[in-house]
Amino acid sequence: MDLKAIKTFHRIVALGGFNRAAEELHYAQSTVTMQIQKLETELGMRLMERGKTFELTEAGRLFLEQSAHIVRDMDQLTNMMTGLVSGEAGHVRLGVVEPVASYRMPAILADFLRDYPNIRVSITIAGSAVLCGQLQHGELDLAICSPPLLETALYFEPLLTEHFVVLLPERHQLTDREAISIQDLREHRLLITAADCPYRRKLELIMQEPGGHPLDTLEIGSMSALKFYVQSGLGAALVPLSVLRPEPLGTVIRPLRGNEVDMTCGLLCKAEDYPLQLAAGRLYQFLQTALRACDNDSYTALGM
């Protein structure tokens, strides 16, 4: 059964005549007549009694009612496919690391979906190593994370630096200092993230001291949760400045001397897929602009 003929039948009924339907659909009137005749032949019954005007037969009324969803679904599918090709519609699977996922993405995603309401975005929150693996296995389309290992066949574009500061309980011994170094923290309990966190690995390399005393550390599995444990007086922590707005009650923020702990974040996708197309390409370009703006804000906030 010809879907175009079904749609033509509906337009004839909606517009009240063959001529108007032909004009709207940009068909010759003979084409419209031929489509209806062919449709009636396939069904084996007349749908319309034609004269100067037309009148639906009982079969025509039943066909109009029962085929309405076909026309509606066909129009919806056509619009979806048009949007898919133009990048205005589709489904994008995005992976995001903390703290970007909790402290930056909600506002960014709200702006994106306001501009592209027909694009559906699914977000996976995990560490950089997990997200890299999911990209390689085709489980994600792109990710916001730290740089991948050099041997991976992934494309990485650095866009944002997470600047770290020292967060202290308000009665901590180091609160009298204007700025704190890594060396200053060696004699105090330090709250650290899980072992698979890139920041944790970087911090351990920096703080290693051959022959020195073991560090007094307390592992907290979530970067975003560190500030709450500092609030409780359990120790100091190196925390991204982005998670400290507003400043947690009962804590003191101090600048960290040097930038060894700062972490670079950016957009990651399969090298073979870059530059991304369709809806994923739209999201990639939007995130480029948004993350660069976040980076500029971070540098401004460092003045504290």
Side-chain angles (χ1 to χ4, degrees):
M1 191 176 297
D2 189 349
L3 292 176
K4 288 184 179 179
I6 297 174
K7 187 171 183 178
T8 297
F9 171 76
H10 277 262
R11 296 316 298 156
I12 292 170
V13 176
L15 297 172
F18 280 65
N19 287 337
R20 291 181 181 176
E23 290 174 4
E24 181 183 273
L25 297 171
H26 304 291
Y27 293 155
Q29 185 176 348
S30 59
T31 300
V32 171
T33 301
M34 187 181 305
Q35 285 182 340
I36 299 304
Q37 289 174 342
K38 182 179 179 182
L39 186 59
E40 290 176 328
T41 299
E42 290 181 356
L43 293 171
M45 60 188 69
R46 293 183 68 81
L47 301 176
M48 298 176 172
E49 297 294 349
R50 294 182 282 279
K52 290 185 178 180
T53 60
F54 74 90
E55 182 177 347
L56 290 178
T57 64
E58 182 180 354
R61 291 192 296 272
L62 179 62
F63 185 79
L64 179 69
E65 178 184 342
Q66 295 300 316
S67 63
H69 72 92
I70 296 176
V71 175
R72 185 172 58 252
D73 292 348
M74 183 169 61
D75 289 341
Q76 183 179 2
L77 179 59
T78 299
N79 291 335
M80 288 176 59
M81 297 307 295
T82 300
L84 187 66
V85 171
S86 66
E88 300 289 329
H91 177 207
V92 187
R93 301 163 300 167
L94 172 66
V96 191
V97 294
E98 291 285 20
V100 178
S102 294
Y103 291 89
R104 301 188 189 275
M105 274 308 297
I108 293 174
L109 187 60
D111 289 342
F112 177 77
L113 294 180
R114 186 163 48 248
D115 292 347
Y116 300 98
N118 294 319
I119 294 179
R120 185 164 61 95
V121 181
S122 299
I123 294 183
T124 297
I125 301 174
S128 294
V130 172
L131 297 180
C132 287
Q134 290 180 330
L135 272 169
Q136 291 174 310
H137 289 95
E139 297 168 6
L140 294 175
D141 299 302
L142 70 156
I144 302 172
C145 59
S146 58
L149 298 175
L150 293 178
E151 64 267 21
T152 57
L154 297 170
Y155 173 82
F156 179 75
E157 180 177 2
L159 292 169
L160 169 69
T161 300
E162 288 288 3
H163 298 284
F164 282 74
V165 294
V166 183
L167 187 66
L168 303 164
E170 58 185 356
R171 299 184 183 279
H172 197 278
Q173 295 175 359
L174 295 176
T175 55
D176 60 345
R177 309 208 178 178
E178 292 185 1
I180 297 173
S181 70
I182 292 292
Q183 297 300 323
D184 294 331
L185 294 170
R186 289 186 183 278
E187 303 303 320
H188 301 273
R189 181 187 293 148
L190 188 63
L191 309 184
I192 56 176
T193 52
D196 60 349
C197 175
Y199 146 74
R200 159 81 175 272
R201 293 197 296 269
K202 190 173 187 178
L203 181 61
E204 287 178 335
L205 287 173
I206 294 169
M207 298 192 74
Q208 277 179 353
E209 189 178 61
H213 295 292
L215 296 174
D216 181 8
T217 60
L218 176 62
E219 182 175 310
I220 309 296
S222 166
M223 174 75 73
S224 300
L226 283 176
K227 62 183 180 182
F228 301 111
Y229 288 81
V230 174
Q231 275 183 314
S232 297
L234 288 171
L238 296 178
V239 183
L241 187 58
S242 62
V243 312
L244 301 178
R245 299 174 184 170
E247 181 175 333
L249 294 175
T251 66
V252 175
I253 299 174
R254 290 290 181 263
L256 178 67
R257 289 197 183 98
N259 59 1
E260 301 99 325
V261 182
D262 290 349
M263 292 293 297
T264 298
C265 286
L267 288 169
L268 187 71
C269 65
K270 282 186 176 181
E272 64 193 59
D273 293 338
Y274 182 83
L276 295 175
Q277 304 297 317
L278 307 178
R282 294 278 187 182
L283 180 57
Y284 189 103
Q285 293 169 7
F286 194 94
L287 291 173
Q288 272 183 320
T289 302
L291 293 176
R292 285 191 182 118
C294 288
D295 199 41
N296 292 335
D297 290 345
S298 295
Y299 277 110
T300 301
L302 284 176
M304 292 191 297

